[in-house]
Amino acid sequence: MSERQSGRAVAAPVLVPDESSSPSLHPVPSEVPASTPPELTARALVAGGLIGAVLAVTNVYTGLKTGFWESGCVLSSLLAFGGLSAMARRGPPVSPLETNLSQTAAVSVGAVPATAGLLGAVPALAMLGTQPPGWAVALWGVGLGTLGVLFAFALRRRLLEDEALPFPTGAATAELISTLHSTGSAYAERVRGLWVSGLASMGLTLSRDVWGLVPQASMLPGSLTVGGLSANSLMLGIGWNPMMLGIGVLVGPRAGLSILLGSALAWAGLAPWLVSAKVVTDTSFPTLSGWLLWPGVGLMVGAAATSLLSQVGALPSVMRDLRKLGQDGAGWESTAGRWVARAVLPAIVLTGVMAWFAFQLSPLYFLLALLLTFPLCAVCARATGQTDIAPMSPVGQLAQVGFGLGVPGHPGLNVAAGGVVSGAASHTSGSLWSLQAGRLLGASASRQLLVQLPGVLLGAAVAVPAYALLVSTHGLGSETLPMPTAQQFKAVAELASKGLGELPPSSTLATGLGFLAGVLLSVGARGRLARWLPSAAAMGIGFVVPAYYSVTLCLGALLAAGVARFRPSATQTVQSAGAGAIVGESLLSVLIAALVAAGLIHQG
């Protein structure tokens, strides 16, 4: 993901492969003539569901491991085109609208891990001592996902048509679909790297996690010390993680170098000082990361607050749009709008019941969270449209702060309230990317809505079991699953509900300095120095994950940048290879976790 890509400035950012050229497509009316090729077909739904299931499993693993998750717009378009083309050998030819509808369904399925809070709120609650049952989390995700889809449909006309916000990921997706259907070689060029890297990633993961032939990481020599601590204890080295290389390929050099900078400051700078100053006496990863988490959270929250403040002025116009829901349009648009308006109340009731039953969020507090959800989803959507950065976790953490200050002493309460806001915002942004692609291709927004809603159900059915498997196998906040977003939710909850006095010794000043640095870096990134300043949110992630994660990720980012510089024709192949590496390791890791849980294998 390059500087044009979504989510790079927030915790749990969304990965989107960089499409280097600006979209050349022009908007087409969403009500297309009856002679248009088929759009809503059984094969499009089947392909979208299968691709979305893969994406959901991948996002659970990558989100818990690194804090990043993949929006899936570009990747699912590529896979959908290939799958639909294979199905079309015995049927009518595939149309761009079919491919777009398939990616729309896949994106809706794949966003559910973030929507249901599996990457942030749910593990944070577990670390605070509250473990909601899996079926309740699934229904909670269905309710929030439905609200997110409905909000996106409500905001579509103003953001996509009236204000014509670019939503670059959606535009890049439309351009890719158009290219795949007009250029025979485009698919072969992109898919080659995807499949080769995916298979290689699976092979390396199998060798590492089952056979024990490959270590988790190659550390620097134990004789090498940094501030009196051995390189081994600081986890300085390079990981044998194809997924990390793949994430680096997609995030781009600025984010990759920013994560490495944050990691260097944390693990090669602050960690040795903590030990030498006797602030901490235990040099284990959990102890050190428990302190370093705080300045990292300060960086991420400072960056998020700056981004959100810039969007506050848009709230009045958004609220007017929500009140008009179902009153505009004609034909399919009017009918869909009315059904959306009618579906809002059932979705609210479902989410509210689950919030009360599983998350101990009383009806009154749920309604207060819901009042924040409407405007903050709009803020998140507008930021996504303007910058392609989707601040899902920050809007949730803003709600956390409000609840923490209003109801002190109940950290679980503000985590649950933050989960309501961030969950709905996740699906709102993902839906708008798909709706933008559809608008540029001349698709029916109403039909896209029809496939997004069942996609939420499938996503919950796939993501929740995958999450349970991984957590039961590796544990919460372990070296394998450091859960950066969940750690951030937990930290903000404790800070907002208990105050600065609950922070680890000497970390208050570090947290404040991190917040100030996040604000200054985010403000500076809006000016001429943008290309030279590091990403504050990416630096914050470097404080939380093991150092070798950051080194490996940065290596992938520099590799992709080198290819783009010296062999531009191979850029798209390398990006597809990065996506393949992520998918390959994620899928096999979840399968290994299932086999371990069943007692069929033992990890090497």
Side-chain angles (χ1 to χ4, degrees):
M1 157 179 93
S2 74
E3 283 316 292
R4 206 176 56 74
Q5 296 156 354
S6 62
R8 64 198 181 287
V10 297
V14 184
L15 301 176
V16 181
D18 182 20
E19 297 294 326
S20 56
S21 60
S22 299
S24 57
L25 299 173
H26 300 283
V28 180
S30 59
E31 289 299 319
V32 294
S35 59
T36 305
E39 182 177 1
L40 182 55
T41 64
R43 65 189 183 187
L45 294 176
V46 170
L50 291 175
I51 295 166
V54 171
L55 194 60
V57 171
T58 299
N59 282 338
V60 171
Y61 183 72
T62 57
L64 293 176
K65 199 173 184 73
T66 68
F68 291 97
W69 62 278
E70 164 69 1
S71 75
C73 294
V74 173
L75 175 62
S76 59
S77 297
L78 182 65
L79 294 176
F81 175 81
L84 291 172
S85 297
M87 296 181 195
R89 293 173 184 172
R90 297 185 179 181
V94 182
S95 73
L97 299 182
E98 256 189 303
T99 303
N100 176 69
L101 202 75
S102 193
Q103 72 83 17
T104 300
V107 169
S108 185
V109 177
V112 171
T115 303
L118 297 175
L119 312 183
V122 171
L125 283 170
M127 287 187 280
L128 290 169
T130 300
Q131 182 62 65
W135 63 268
V137 173
L139 289 176
W140 157 276
V142 169
L144 289 175
T146 301
L147 287 176
V149 170
L150 301 181
F151 293 164
F153 193 85
L155 297 169
R156 175 188 59 85
R157 186 177 298 277
R158 173 173 291 277
L159 298 184
L160 300 185
E161 298 178 9
D162 296 346
E163 298 185 25
L165 297 184
F167 284 91
T169 292
T173 301
E175 187 176 34
L176 172 62
I177 292 173
S178 180
T179 300
L180 291 172
H181 283 270
S182 61
T183 308
S185 61
Y187 175 71
E189 291 173 359
R190 293 168 185 259
V191 81
R192 185 182 302 113
L194 180 71
W195 289 113
V196 171
S197 67
L199 292 173
S201 177
M202 288 183 173
L204 182 56
T205 303
L206 195 65
S207 299
R208 184 193 66 208
D209 293 347
V210 177
W211 298 331
L213 301 177
V214 177
Q216 287 287 337
S218 294
M219 301 297 181
L220 294 177
S223 57
L224 179 65
T225 60
V226 179
L229 293 178
S230 69
N232 282 340
S233 65
L234 295 173
M235 297 189 185
L236 301 180
I238 297 177
W240 290 88
N241 297 99
M243 184 192 73
M244 292 296 170
L245 286 174
I247 290 175
V249 167
L250 296 186
V251 300
R254 180 174 180 257
L257 289 169
S258 297
I259 292 174
L260 183 63
L261 174 60
S263 187
L265 289 173
W267 297 101
L270 284 174
W273 173 80
L274 291 172
V275 175
S276 64
K278 294 183 171 52
V279 176
V280 300
T281 57
D282 184 358
T283 61
S284 66
F285 173 81
T287 301
L288 289 173
S289 65
W291 195 99
L292 295 172
L293 166 71
W294 291 98
V297 167
L299 278 164
M300 291 187 276
V301 173
T306 306
S307 174
L308 294 177
L309 284 174
S310 67
Q311 302 293 324
V312 170
L315 291 181
S317 63
V318 169
M319 298 309 293
R320 287 195 297 270
D321 289 342
L322 291 171
R323 286 195 295 268
K324 293 179 181 178
L325 183 57
Q327 300 175 8
D328 299 330
W332 266 92
E333 292 292 316
S334 178
T335 302
R338 288 194 296 271
W339 277 106
V340 167
R342 293 169 184 168
V344 170
L345 182 58
I348 289 174
V349 171
L350 173 63
T351 311
V353 171
M354 289 303 104
W356 190 10
F357 176 80
F359 296 88
Q360 289 79 56
L361 193 63
S362 72
L364 174 60
Y365 289 138
F366 172 71
L367 290 176
L368 291 175
L370 200 62
L371 290 176
L372 291 174
T373 300
F374 285 94
L376 289 178
C377 276
V379 167
C380 185
R382 187 173 294 275
T384 303
Q386 291 176 339
T387 67
D388 228 23
I389 301 172
M392 300 105 165
S393 293
V395 295
Q397 285 147 19
L398 183 61
Q400 279 188 264
V401 172
F403 272 80
L405 296 177
V407 192
H410 296 84
L413 171 65
N414 69 60
V415 169
V420 173
V421 177
S422 63
S426 298
H427 235 89
T428 298
S429 295
S431 296
L432 283 167
W433 278 317
S434 292
L435 288 170
Q436 172 72 324
R439 185 181 75 93
L440 293 172
L441 291 167
S444 165
S446 304
R447 293 189 179 99
Q448 287 187 275
L449 172 69
L450 288 177
V451 302
Q452 285 174 329
L453 292 175
V456 174
L457 290 169
L458 177 58
V462 171
V464 172
Y467 167 84
L469 275 173
L470 289 170
V471 170
S472 64
T473 302
H474 301 293
L476 291 164
S478 61
E479 179 187 340
T480 303
L481 297 178
M483 302 180 176
T485 306
Q487 297 281 9
Q488 187 179 352
F489 264 87
K490 177 175 177 286
V492 173
E494 293 175 335
L495 179 62
S497 63
K498 299 179 181 179
L500 297 175
E502 294 298 317
L503 268 63
S506 304
S507 65
T508 303
L509 177 61
T511 304
L513 292 175
F515 180 87
L516 180 61
V519 170
L520 294 176
L521 288 172
S522 295
V523 171
R526 301 175 184 273
R528 297 180 180 179
L529 297 176
R531 62 179 299 184
W532 303 108
L533 291 176
S535 162
M539 286 180 63
I541 291 176
F543 274 70
V544 180
V545 299
Y548 69 86
Y549 279 25
S550 302
V551 173
T552 310
L553 191 150
C554 186
L555 182 62
L558 295 178
L559 175 64
V563 171
R565 176 71 180 274
F566 298 107
R567 195 179 175 186
S569 61
T571 299
Q572 302 300 338
T573 301
V574 171
Q575 288 175 349
S576 295
I582 296 170
V583 173
E585 178 174 345
S586 300
L587 288 180
L588 194 61
S589 293
V590 172
L591 176 60
I592 291 172
L595 295 175
V596 170
L600 298 178
I601 65 170
H602 300 280
Q603 291 185 286

